[in-house]
Amino acid sequence: MTYHHFVIPFNIGVAVLFAIILVKFTIWIVKLEPVDKKLIRKNFFSIKTLEAVKESFMEGLLHRKIFMVNPVLGYMHMSLAFGWFLLIVFGNFQAQFYTRTVIHPPHYPIFFNFFVTSPDEYLFKASFEFLMDLLLLFILTGLMIAITKRFYSRIVGLKKTTRLKFFDRLALGSLWLIFPLRLFAESFTSGIHHNGNFLTGTLGDAFAKFLPVEQLALPAWWGYSIALGAFFIALPYSRYMHIPAEILLIFLRSFGVRTRRNYSSYSDIEVRSCSRCGICIDACQINKSLGMNTIQSVYFLRSIRENNVDDEKLFTCMLCGRCENVCPVGIQLSDLRVTQRTKNGVRNTSSYDFLNPPPYKIADVVYFAGCMTHLTPAIKKSMLKIFDIAGVNYYFMDSDKEACCGRPLILSGHYENAAKLIDYNKKLIKKSKAKVLVTSCPICYKTFKEDYRLDIHVMHHTEYILKLVEVGILLLEKGDSRVVYHDPCELGRGLGIYEEPRILLEKVSRLLPSDDEKENALCCGGSLAGFNLSSAQKNAIRDDALASLMKSNPDKLITSCPLCKKTFSRGTKVQVQDIAELIASSAYVPEKKKISLKPEAEPVPVLS
Amino acid sequence: MTKKVVIIGGGIAGMEAASTLSRMNIDVLLIEKKQQLGGHVGEWDHLFPNFRNAREITRSLLYDLQDKHIKICTSTEITGISKKSGKFEVRTTQQQTFKADSILLSTGFDLFDARKKEEYGYGIYENVITSVDLEQKLKESNVLTMASGVIPKRIAMIHCVGSRDEKSGYFHCSKVCCITAVKQAIEVKQKLPHAEIFCFYMDLRMYGKKFEELYREAQEKWGIQFVRGRLSEAAENMDGSLQIKSEDTLSGRPLKMNVDLMVLMIGMVPSESTTFLGKMLGIHFSEDGFINHDDIHLENNLTNVPGIFTAGTVTSPMTITDTIADARSAALKIATYIS
Ligand SMILES: Cc1cc2nc3c(=O)[nH]c(=O)nc-3n(C[C@H](O)[C@H](O)[C@H](O)COP(=O)(O)OP(=O)(O)OC[C@H]3O[C@@H](n4cnc5c(N)ncnc54)[C@H](O)[C@@H]3O)c2cc1C
Ligand code: SF4
Ligand code: SF4
Ligand code: SF4
């Protein structure tokens, strides 16, 4: 026997699920930007597809990243996803071994224990039976955690990540029922036939003692099939849509598709891929230091899905990137926020006519201090000193602070205006014929790298100074001050520069470790992006970050961003310096060289 | 048995309170952490609003301290204070212990650290000084020069540095710096008649007796120019002069100007030492960081701890006139309390 009427709900469910997902995926892909489609065509037949398969497996099924952040949560996700996946795969093998054919109706392996009750032997019979029971147990333990978590958080009154809607409820309810019903159905059936393995067999025999298992078995199989069917039909309209969406996301991402300036079809896929795991809430300092939990990424993404993005969610966030760093799905949370700012921001229409190009200079290196560095002149002065000691032929492009790099405008969602400034600066950079652009501000740096499309080297001064030291143009003296280093959000998480400052600091001081380093560094609170935060709130965030940095009682707090420096120095008595200041005070000129340091000295070889 | 009061802080507030109490036959112990009495006033040269020599004030107050009821401990700091059945026990760095019926806090204010306002370049650019540096220069020398020794032609006085500034963390107005700027501008002009002097202000607080008159004199007689606008930043030119940027908020235009010397009118901020003592004693502070009064109108020498009183700038910025009045009133309140 390979068919019974009770399989109808399951089959309908599977058919509907595949049809809807197919339609959704098609719409998403068709709506992608032309550049993105090009990327897909280019990379489809390449190693990237294989990598995506691997990643889907690691993240979609094993949930490796969630596991690393929170093992219990990871186990829960893994047992449900991976356990179920294995149940299907091995169920199919079992059916194939039994029937010795490859093809059979899709429901056959799912309801195998209903159809096959005879004691006929087939290859690996005992192993299959044991494995299938084990997998069922594995899934059921995960389910227990899921149910406990839901009720526990309700009992302790925690704010939940989700407001459940009809389809969510349907999907959740049926998901909870699927595996217990399978357990009962299989146990009842094995209670009748006295087969089954350690779980279903034992339970079946026990049930048979006091329950009319003959009457109960069929309704249980019906229930199991209906629960499956209901889950599949509800899935595309429920939060569980994140599962297929994430798989698609993984493939597109590995082909190089990204959310760029504007909200695209890919952004939509990202928004739907959020699993509501809530990990982003814990990472956010606005939650930790201010106890405010309404704006974090999980809520923000929900507001995009429900079309009710508000100013609070958009403009309170500091775009520090801490949530993005831990998001197991790898959603571009900061970029998504910026796209929404662009969409919802108030138009600011300045023509920037007032900009008149300053006289430029032909040089090897262009130095762009940045507006923030002009407000922390010690950094600027130190950089100029370093250039002079190293004898670099440089052009101080914004010495008069003419045009800003454009980033603050981008962060507030005014991309068109930023474009005018970008255009202006680009012309100056071109005219200087320099091969390297050095900036002191990570905020500018990111925009030079990502928005300017310059064909010269763009470097933050930490990288540039290290280069100067490595090629031997800049000599440093080791001091004995004990320093702790703060990774600025934009330089660290934003651009992955963690090692250069540390190598430099090791050379001139005694670098102490701190609790929240590198990817996990805290935001100083001074972010330009947190428009809605009051100064009291920013100070609270700053003070918590300082408390963490000051644990080792350093002599100095070193950072590499003018904004971090400014923010921190107002909150502590400990001296706060930019790395350039410490380097400038540790640099020395060898006796011989001093003589050749006249203005007309030979230009030093360009670093690139 | 005579009652005894310990006064912590020998600035003008502590000095005036001590002599007032002694005249009421109350024993006083005046503790000062520095070598000399007088507090900040000891550092000033000539005073607003009438250019009186500051030494006259400290000398006169010192004279009044010569009384058998007064004992003075200088170079002494407090290490601990405890309260047992209404009496205080004060321990000092000199390993002494004193008993007291009441304590007067007259620990004064701290000066805002201008380096925290890095965009103005104090400590980075050699021609940026503070009002306190200027006061020293006026006291010590007859000429005022740039770091290079050259006579400055253009000088900018910047108001509200570290006051009324959310970003620096201080919202309050320091009250004395507007009029100090006017006073110092006139003094500089007297020394350097050819210099141009600009005061950059947000509002001018000319509330005291003779303040407005002095302000008018500065404009009419001395040609000092007042520009309404907050300075955004300063940059150093090659020759050490400074380029300053501000917005002229009266004309609504951004303003750039080169000056040879920049004077930062630094504000008065809550003193660290007061915060330390206050925490030890369980005293309440208001949001601005100064000691709080529960009744701001009628009981402005009382703290929330019975027996502990305040005098002078521990509670808010004050001029000398107001500090002296506050100290006398504190003495009266203490005398009533202990009898
Ligand atoms: C730049 C500037 C110029 C000014 N010019 C004038 C002017 O021309 N005319 C005018 O009327 N006013 C002027 N003032 C205001 C004047 O300085 C104050 O009114 C006066 O100093 C207040 O005196 P005080 O005793 O309250 O505080 P302070 O002068 O601060 O004295 C406090 C004293 O307590 C001591 N102390 C602190 N902590 C402890 C401790 N824990 N233990 C022991 N001792 C301690 C300190 O060492 C200090 O001696 C000026 C203020 C500034 C900032
Ligand atoms: S945004 Fe990422 S971290 Fe936050 S709930 Fe969604 S999947 Fe989890
Ligand atoms: S970017 Fe930073 S501030 Fe914004 S939600 Fe994420 S963690 Fe919070
Ligand atoms: S007195 Fe004048 S300069 Fe001083 S804080 Fe008040 S307004 Fe500013």
Side-chain angles (χ1 to χ4, degrees):
Chain A
M1 184 171 56
T2 59
Y3 177 80
H4 188 284
H5 284 322
F6 78 73
V7 303
I8 292 173
F10 165 78
N11 280 327
I12 293 178
V14 173
V16 170
L17 175 66
F18 278 100
I20 298 177
I21 288 188
L22 194 69
V23 173
K24 287 206 171 199
F25 275 27
T26 314
I27 294 176
W28 271 330
I29 293 173
V30 169
K31 279 193 176 166
L32 283 173
E33 312 277 307
V35 268
D36 294 337
K37 288 185 188 155
K38 219 183 201 168
L39 281 167
I40 299 178
R41 277 195 297 274
K42 190 174 136 218
N43 292 322
F44 192 77
F45 295 103
S46 75
I47 185 89
K48 300 212 161 94
T49 305
L50 284 180
E51 284 165 7
V53 172
K54 183 179 156 216
E55 200 192 332
S56 312
F57 184 77
M58 295 305 282
E59 302 308 334
L61 294 175
L62 290 185
H63 292 94
R64 185 182 55 100
K65 287 187 193 144
I66 304 191
F67 217 97
M68 289 188 323
V69 182
N70 182 338
V72 178
L73 201 65
Y75 178 82
M76 179 189 108
H77 281 265
M78 182 179 90
S79 66
L80 282 170
F82 189 52
W84 197 354
F85 171 77
L86 290 182
L87 202 66
I88 296 169
V89 171
F90 285 105
N92 270 289
F93 285 146
Q94 187 183 26
Q96 285 163 357
F97 276 71
Y98 177 75
T99 57
R100 304 203 190 161
T101 49
V102 181
I103 311 285
H104 42 67
H107 60 254
Y108 185 66
I110 308 292
F111 305 109
F112 184 79
N113 284 347
F114 175 83
F115 296 121
V116 180
T117 48
S118 63
D120 302 352
E121 273 301 324
Y122 55 93
L123 207 55
F124 302 128
K125 178 172 194 264
S127 313
F128 270 123
E129 285 178 356
F130 174 75
L131 186 68
M132 295 304 275
D133 263 20
L134 187 69
L135 287 172
L136 184 58
L137 185 65
F138 179 48
I139 299 174
L140 285 168
T141 52
L143 194 65
M144 295 274 280
I145 300 176
I147 296 173
T148 328
K149 184 178 153 253
R150 185 128 221 128
F151 281 107
Y152 179 69
S153 63
R154 192 169 293 172
I155 292 162
V156 296
L158 279 183
K159 202 176 155 82
K160 277 195 304 296
T161 53
T162 33
R163 240 190 283 126
L164 288 185
K165 295 211 293 290
F166 173 72
F167 277 107
D168 284 331
R169 249 174 239 208
L170 181 61
L172 187 71
S174 42
L175 180 65
W176 282 5
L177 286 175
I178 289 171
F179 297 99
L181 281 170
R182 177 176 174 132
L183 179 71
F184 284 121
E186 291 191 331
S187 301
F188 292 153
T189 302
S190 66
I192 302 171
H193 301 280
H194 302 289
N195 52 10
N197 208 276
F198 73 96
L199 181 67
T200 50
T202 322
L203 265 181
D205 288 344
F207 285 148
K209 290 208 179 94
F210 61 95
L211 287 175
V213 284
E214 273 99 2
Q215 279 86 350
L216 288 174
L218 195 58
W221 285 106
W222 267 101
Y224 175 41
S225 169
I226 291 171
L228 279 168
F231 179 68
F232 291 151
I233 292 174
L235 185 143
Y237 302 103
S238 75
R239 42 180 293 191
Y240 296 101
M241 185 59 200
H242 79 85
I243 303 167
E246 185 184 349
I247 307 266
L248 180 61
L249 179 78
I250 289 173
F251 278 87
L252 295 179
R253 185 167 56 211
S254 77
F255 297 149
V257 183
R258 292 285 179 276
T259 283
R260 298 192 189 82
R261 277 303 150 221
N262 293 309
Y263 191 84
S264 64
S265 175
Y266 178 79
S267 316
D268 207 43
I269 303 172
E270 291 198 287
V271 169
R272 313 272 155 184
S273 299
C274 165
S275 68
R276 285 81 154 165
C277 66
I279 288 176
C280 51
I281 304 176
D282 295 335
C284 180
Q285 287 163 268
I286 290 180
N287 170 37
K288 272 198 282 190
S289 297
L290 306 180
M292 183 196 249
N293 48 23
T294 44
I295 63 104
Q296 283 74 17
S297 291
V298 62
Y299 306 117
F300 170 65
L301 297 183
R302 183 181 72 200
S303 73
I304 300 184
R305 287 191 299 270
E306 296 178 357
N307 224 334
N308 54 11
V309 180
D310 56 27
D311 268 13
E312 193 196 29
K313 289 191 184 59
L314 272 184
F315 293 105
T316 310
C317 165
M318 306 185 288
L319 297 177
C320 70
R322 279 176 60 83
C323 53
E324 183 164 328
N325 179 47
V326 293
C327 172
V329 183
I331 303 173
Q332 288 168 264
L333 297 168
S334 295
D335 289 336
L336 277 173
R337 236 181 272 232
V338 174
T339 63
Q340 293 296 307
R341 285 185 177 184
T342 312
K343 207 165 122 192
N344 295 284
V346 194
R347 288 272 153 261
N348 141 338
T349 45
S350 172
S351 62
Y352 294 98
D353 289 341
F354 59 82
L355 291 175
N356 26 28
Y360 62 91
K361 184 182 140 191
I362 307 278
D364 298 333
V365 175
V366 186
Y367 175 55
F368 189 92
C371 311
M372 278 298 148
T373 313
H374 282 283
L375 296 180
T376 46
I379 304 179
K380 182 174 74 181
K381 233 184 151 172
S382 305
M383 277 313 291
L384 301 186
K385 182 176 168 196
I386 291 172
F387 284 131
D388 284 340
I389 292 181
V392 177
N393 169 20
Y394 68 96
Y395 157 43
F396 187 177
M397 175 178 155
D398 64 334
S399 63
D400 206 25
K401 209 179 141 188
E402 198 66 32
C404 141
C405 67
R407 187 81 194 289
L409 282 168
I410 296 175
L411 291 180
S412 64
H414 297 110
Y415 191 70
E416 287 158 35
N417 292 302
K420 293 177 192 160
L421 295 173
I422 291 178
D423 200 47
Y424 172 90
N425 285 326
K426 257 177 107 162
K427 280 189 192 136
L428 281 182
I429 298 170
K430 275 236 165 69
K431 281 186 189 164
S432 78
K433 300 209 162 63
K435 315 241 167 26
V436 186
L437 170 72
V438 178
T439 176
S440 286
C441 176
I443 304 169
C444 306
Y445 180 52
K446 197 167 153 81
T447 213
F448 279 130
K449 275 224 145 150
E450 294 178 354
D451 301 301
Y452 274 64
R453 291 160 209 265
L454 293 167
D455 47 11
I456 65 173
H457 240 73
V458 179
M459 291 174 134
H460 181 256
H461 69 226
T462 42
E463 298 171 279
Y464 182 73
I465 295 172
L466 184 60
K467 268 268 151 64
L468 288 178
V469 173
E470 280 172 354
V471 295
I473 306 183
L474 194 67
L475 302 170
L476 300 178
E477 245 162 344
K478 173 120 184 156
D480 54 6
S481 54
R482 300 161 62 254
V483 308
V484 61
Y485 178 69
H486 165 75
D487 290 283
C489 299
E490 297 271 359
L491 197 65
R493 281 184 295 271
L495 290 144
I497 297 190
Y498 297 113
E499 293 313 322
E500 289 85 345
R502 290 186 166 78
I503 298 174
L504 282 172
L505 288 175
E506 294 285 3
K507 289 186 197 292
V508 295
S509 64
R510 281 171 56 203
L511 179 61
L512 308 171
S514 74
D515 284 357
D516 305 287
E517 283 196 300
K518 302 188 179 171
E519 293 86 355
N520 299 321
L522 294 167
C523 173
C524 69
S527 165
L528 286 183
F531 295 97
N532 267 13
L533 292 171
S534 70
S535 43
Q537 288 173 316
K538 289 185 175 189
N539 289 351
I541 292 171
R542 172 197 71 195
D543 292 344
D544 284 352
L546 271 174
S548 156
L549 287 162
M550 292 302 166
K551 273 194 192 143
S552 51
N553 264 323
D555 304 329
K556 283 180 186 176
L557 169 57
I558 305 291
T559 183
S560 41
C561 166
L563 190 54
C564 296
K565 177 189 175 189
K566 230 171 151 32
T567 310
F568 280 139
S569 58
R570 288 182 190 130
T572 175
K573 291 263 163 222
V574 174
Q575 189 181 16
V576 184
Q577 277 191 327
D578 187 278
I579 192 162
E581 295 173 61
L582 189 63
I583 296 292
S585 61
S586 318
Y588 70 93
V589 191
E591 281 308 316
K592 264 185 274 163
K593 225 177 143 194
K594 262 184 197 155
I595 314 152
S596 71
L597 263 184
K598 280 176 255 146
E600 63 273 16
E602 292 267 303
V604 173
V606 189
L607 302 162
S608 50
Chain B
M1 204 183 102
T2 43
K3 300 279 181 172
K4 187 163 180 182
V5 177
V6 168
I7 299 181
I8 307 174
I12 55 164
M15 292 164 85
E16 178 64 18
S19 59
T20 313
L21 284 166
S22 75
R23 265 173 257 138
M24 295 187 264
N25 291 325
I26 295 168
D27 274 350
V28 177
L29 175 70
L30 180 56
I31 299 178
E32 166 59 47
K33 69 174 173 194
K34 298 229 177 91
Q35 252 179 333
Q36 281 175 349
L37 298 176
H40 284 100
V41 176
E43 295 167 35
W44 309 152
D45 183 31
H46 289 91
L47 301 173
F48 63 75
N50 56 2
F51 301 96
R52 180 182 193 179
N53 193 321
R55 269 141 290 191
E56 281 180 34
I57 305 285
T58 42
R59 224 175 280 150
S60 156
L61 293 178
L62 267 178
Y63 183 80
D64 288 344
L65 289 179
Q66 296 168 350
D67 187 291
K68 65 173 179 356
H69 291 293
I70 301 177
K71 223 184 116 197
I72 299 170
C73 294
T74 49
S75 306
T76 306
E77 271 187 77
I78 309 296
T79 52
I81 302 176
S82 48
K83 193 176 179 182
K84 265 181 235 139
S85 53
K87 285 230 174 207
F88 296 94
E89 207 178 86
V90 182
R91 289 174 299 281
T92 71
T93 40
Q94 313 285 6
Q95 317 300 331
Q96 298 149 303
T97 308
F98 301 105
K99 295 233 180 322
D101 299 281
S102 170
I103 287 181
L104 176 66
L105 289 175
S106 50
T107 40
F109 64 95
D110 281 352
L111 291 159
F112 174 73
D113 179 358
R115 284 171 307 182
K116 299 263 171 207
K117 194 85 188 151
E118 193 180 334
E119 55 267 47
Y120 293 173
Y122 184 67
I124 301 167
Y125 303 146
E126 51 186 17
N127 289 313
V128 179
I129 62 173
T130 66
S131 46
V132 175
D133 299 333
L134 179 59
E135 204 62 30
Q136 283 302 315
K137 286 180 196 282
L138 291 169
K139 203 170 167 179
E140 285 160 9
S141 139
N142 235 336
V143 281
L144 177 68
T145 63
M146 295 166 63
S148 57
V150 176
I151 303 283
K153 291 196 204 65
R154 240 188 200 187
I155 301 168
M157 324 267 301
I158 315 301
H159 290 223
C160 300
V161 177
S163 307
R164 307 180 66 203
D165 180 11
E166 188 176 0
K167 287 189 187 150
S168 304
Y170 298 109
F171 287 93
H172 67 270
C173 164
S174 292
K175 284 164 79 179
V176 299
C177 19
C178 273
I179 183 67
T180 300
V182 170
K183 181 208 75 162
Q184 292 186 335
I186 294 175
E187 289 173 309
V188 171
K189 191 77 185 179
Q190 285 169 341
K191 281 195 203 298
L192 309 172
H194 300 294
E196 278 184 290
I197 303 178
F198 298 86
C199 289
F200 287 85
Y201 68 96
M202 297 208 290
D203 301 287
L204 286 170
R205 305 263 157 114
M206 297 297 161
Y207 63 97
K209 192 169 170 76
K210 296 201 174 152
F211 287 11
E212 187 69 23
E213 288 83 337
L214 199 64
Y215 166 51
R216 276 179 68 160
E217 182 188 323
Q219 294 178 84
E220 289 168 5
K221 182 165 171 202
W222 302 101
I224 290 151
Q225 301 185 50
F226 288 81
V227 185
R228 184 157 182 273
R230 175 152 223 159
L231 197 71
S232 60
E233 65 195 82
E236 196 176 42
N237 298 318
M238 291 299 270
D239 61 357
S241 67
L242 302 152
Q243 188 190 64
I244 59 179
K245 283 185 191 166
S246 156
E247 189 186 6
D248 185 332
T249 46
L250 288 182
S251 68
R253 253 185 280 134
L255 186 142
K256 260 191 214 173
M257 183 190 271
N258 276 318
V259 298
D260 300 324
L261 190 68
M262 196 163 111
V263 184
L264 307 181
M265 309 309 300
I266 50 174
M268 296 162 92
V269 301
S271 90
E272 250 185 85
S273 151
T274 312
T275 314
F276 168 78
L277 290 174
K279 281 200 181 130
M280 189 158 76
L281 295 164
I283 284 176
H284 294 169
F285 291 87
S286 30
E287 252 170 63
D288 59 11
F290 290 96
I291 292 180
N292 190 48
H293 298 305
D294 289 336
D295 183 340
I296 200 167
H297 298 108
L298 301 175
E299 299 290 6
N300 57 350
N301 296 106
L302 266 60
T303 67
N304 57 303
V305 183
I308 301 183
F309 296 81
T310 63
T313 48
V314 274
T315 58
S316 97
M318 288 180 195
T319 59
I320 295 175
T321 316
D322 293 344
T323 306
I324 295 293
D326 197 51
R328 287 179 192 152
S329 123
L332 195 62
K333 281 284 168 195
I334 293 174
T336 327
Y337 171 80
I338 56 183
S339 59

